Amino acid sequence: TGHPYFALTSSGGADVGEFQEKYNMPFKFGTADNKLLMSMIRSNPGLILINDGVVVKRWCFRSLPSPEELVALTK
């Protein structure tokens, strides 16, 4: 899609490395404190769409958007 994707987790480096290797994740992972992550998304896991530093929309794992919806929101 041409848009960068990042994953944030409070998990340790070894767990992240295993997960990336097992599922061949095509994006970078970063770490953050669990309190920070829960403040940002209020869901575990969840998705936040950020465009030019502005939060466009947030989704909990139960209501993730379709790829088409994400593309529409980035235009």
Side-chain angles (χ1 to χ4, degrees):
T1 63
H3 301 287
Y5 292 88
F6 302 92
L8 292 176
T9 181
S10 60
S11 297
D15 291 333
V16 171
E18 285 180 34
F19 183 84
Q20 281 182 296
E21 187 174 316
K22 182 176 180 178
Y23 295 103
N24 194 26
M25 303 308 289
F27 43 82
K28 294 181 181 181
F29 279 73
T31 57
D33 179 81
N34 193 44
K35 286 184 181 184
L36 171 68
L37 294 173
M38 288 303 290
S39 296
M40 291 171 61
I41 192 65
R42 301 271 191 231
S43 171
N44 185 13
L47 177 66
I48 303 174
L49 176 61
I50 301 172
N51 188 16
D52 290 329
V54 176
V55 174
V56 176
K57 195 161 181 177
R58 296 185 286 185
W59 297 270
C60 75
F61 70 96
R62 292 186 178 113
S63 62
L64 292 174
S66 68
E68 295 81 17
E69 183 181 353
L70 280 175
V71 169
L73 288 168
T74 59
K75 291 184 178 182

